[in-house]
Amino acid sequence: MKKILVIEDDHLIRETVLELLQSRGFEAVGAENGKVGIQLAAQIPDLILSDVMMPELDGFEVFAAVRSQPATASIPFIFMTASEMEKALELKADGYLKKPCSLAEMLAAIATQLEKPTVSNPQHQKVQDNSAPSNLRLRVSNQKSRFEIASVCWQ
């Protein structure tokens, strides 16, 4: 089971994303701010989804901290942002989601990162096994999901 860390200060968005990821077979863990996110990143998730504008530490500071540590440097990192896309693009993260986004867009961004070839670096404590996850279902029903409905909250 792939583990995804969701760093998002908006409670409704964070809980909705966590619920949706869990319903798709992922182990999903949430952090309410960047400081907690960095602490949880030490548990080496398979992927990090991070908001940009947050209290404590913003997403850019989280990204810098994660990339600066050999144990976490190779974890795929996807920014979720409504207003800071240009700056996010400059940092060369692994992916970007413009808020609001649909469930299909989120799952596609995650699948793209998790399907990348295995990265092995002896300096890192974890070898990333990014083979295509058998439990990832990209088929989205025609009904609007809670994530898509909640996305109107992302401003």
Side-chain angles (χ1 to χ4, degrees), residues 2 4 26 46-49 67 74-79 92-97 105-119 128-133 136 138:
K2 297 291 184 178
I4 299 178
F26 293 103
D46 294 291
L47 184 135
I48 298 171
L49 283 174
R67 288 295 192 253
S74 66
I75 298 171
F77 196 104
I78 299 174
F79 281 115
K92 298 183 180 168
D94 299 292
Y96 311 90
L97 289 170
E105 290 169 327
M106 181 180 68
L107 290 175
I110 291 169
T112 297
Q113 295 310 312
L114 295 179
E115 290 175 355
K116 284 185 176 180
T118 301
V119 175
Q128 288 286 343
D129 178 10
N130 289 331
S131 59
L136 181 61
L138 289 177

Side-chain angles (χ1 to χ4, degrees), residues 3-7 27 29-31 33-48 62-63 65-77 124-128:
K3 183 177 186 178
I4 299 178
L5 172 58
V6 178
I7 308 170
E27 177 184 350
V29 178
N33 61 52
K35 187 174 180 180
V36 173
I38 290 171
Q39 293 168 349
L40 292 175
Q43 296 174 8
I44 318 297
D46 294 291
L47 184 135
I48 298 171
V62 172
F63 180 77
V66 166
R67 288 295 192 253
S68 72
Q69 298 299 312
T72 59
S74 66
I75 298 171
F77 196 104
H124 295 191
Q125 291 178 4
K126 178 181 179 181
V127 174
Q128 288 286 343

